[in-house]
Amino acid sequence: MKTIIITGGAGFIGSHLIRLFVNKYPDYKIINLDKLTYAGNLANLKDVEKMPNYEFVKADIVDADHMFEIFDKYQPDGVIHLAAESHVDRSIANPNEFIFTNIVGTTNLLNAARKTWGDKLDDKLFYHVSTDEVYGSLGETGFFVETTAYDPRSPYSASKASSDHLVRAYGHTFGLPSVISNCSNNYGSYQFPEKLLPLFINNIRNKKALPVYGKGENIRDWLWVEDHARAIDVIYHQGKVGDTYNIGGHNEWTNIDLIKLMCKIMDSKLNRKEGESEQLITYVKDRAGHDMRYAIDSSKLQDELGWTPSLQFEEGLEKTIDWYLESDEWMNEVTSGDYQKYYDEMYKNR
Ligand code: NAD
Ligand code: DAU
């Protein structure tokens, strides 16, 4: 019996990871530690909430004392840390929350793990889930590899880079067993509709403008979220302590090509005239400091641990669009409350 604390388990990627672990490892106890910010939603976990090996604990990782209490109570063998403020645009509008959660919160978890584990470090692991954005922005060629120098360029990526450095520092200075993975853009079900895909799917459906930043030429490397969760599983169980693994799908798209593909698929699914949804595309003021291109080289993970992405992008995109079209209740719930206010504020000056 292993006990693993997964932080941020009520969010987009965290909920997929919890679903995978709770179903795949009936003899593990999975603790979902989440503050339930606007991005955390227990409805993402309805299908697993009654499983005997799952427990939810509402807590803020910025509260150091509470972290010590929780670690003392559950005595985890491992931590998989996903809790974070995760949206670049929000980090530009209000950086401070990112410093608290992503840097101070991560340090609190490292301290709690250190105190609880003491020198009994056999079979213990602190797994930190990070992003490719810590590496900065690429030109037309090349890929991020694990040794690419850090060059974060937004408050979000700077806060994630800081947390990566702290995890490595705790490994080097205190011998805390840790591993880090840096993943490219995820897509799939249960993603909060502030990020490109769910926001645009929802807007296309409701015939609302599609706010494309700049010229839409920026490039992202898209990976199906369940493939990310599978990669975390493989790295947690077989990764080398102290190592870093890049995760990505070798699947680069300019934003505008991706948006046009989404419009085309949705025209057909919603019985609209071909080209109708593309009319919604509206070019707006660019994101400040907008990174041009991300592209991950995941050959280390593929060669050493045998992970490969399972899904072709077009198939995954269709599945994803179908899920959002069928999940009215979920979408209505997450877009009620403060969502409209957020949307009006974020897009009013664009
Ligand atoms: P998300 O915003 O959907 O979910 C974040 C979760 O963390 C939410 O459930 C939220 O309630 C929780 N949380 C936030 N602040 C907290 C706090 N102070 N205490 C406890 N819980 C708190 O994020 P996501 O897209 O699922 O990303 C998860 C992790 O993966 C993040 O660390 C992110 O940096 C990283 N990541 C994301 C992507 C991506 O494409 N979404 C890609 C690579 C890496
Ligand atoms: O690369 C991994 C990262 O991917 C994660 O670490 C982040 O948590 C995650 O949010 C994501 O960051 P991006 O900034 O790449 O994702 P986002 O969905 O916000 O934007 C994707 C691209 O689409 C980006 O080039 C900006 C553009 N965009 C986004 C929005 C929300 C638009 O053109 N219009 C929009 O309204």
Side-chain angles (χ1 to χ4, degrees), residues 21-33:
F21 270 54
V22 165
N23 284 304
K24 187 169 172 188
Y25 301 108
D27 54 342
Y28 287 8
K29 175 94 190 162
I30 302 297
I31 312 295
N32 174 11
L33 189 167

Side-chain angles (χ1 to χ4, degrees), residues 86 131-133 156 185 196 211 213 220 255 287 290 347:
S86 68
T131 170
D132 59 359
E133 299 197 11
Y156 163 68
N185 287 62
L196 181 74
Y213 296 165
R220 296 292 182 265
N255 292 340
R287 173 184 278 174
H290 198 172
Y347 291 93

Side-chain angles (χ1 to χ4, degrees), residues 43 46 58 63 89-90 114 152 159 205 218 233 288:
K46 272 202 175 114
K58 186 170 184 327
D63 182 343
D89 291 328
R90 286 186 196 253
R114 229 190 117 208
S159 68
R205 181 178 205 175
N218 304 67
D233 178 19

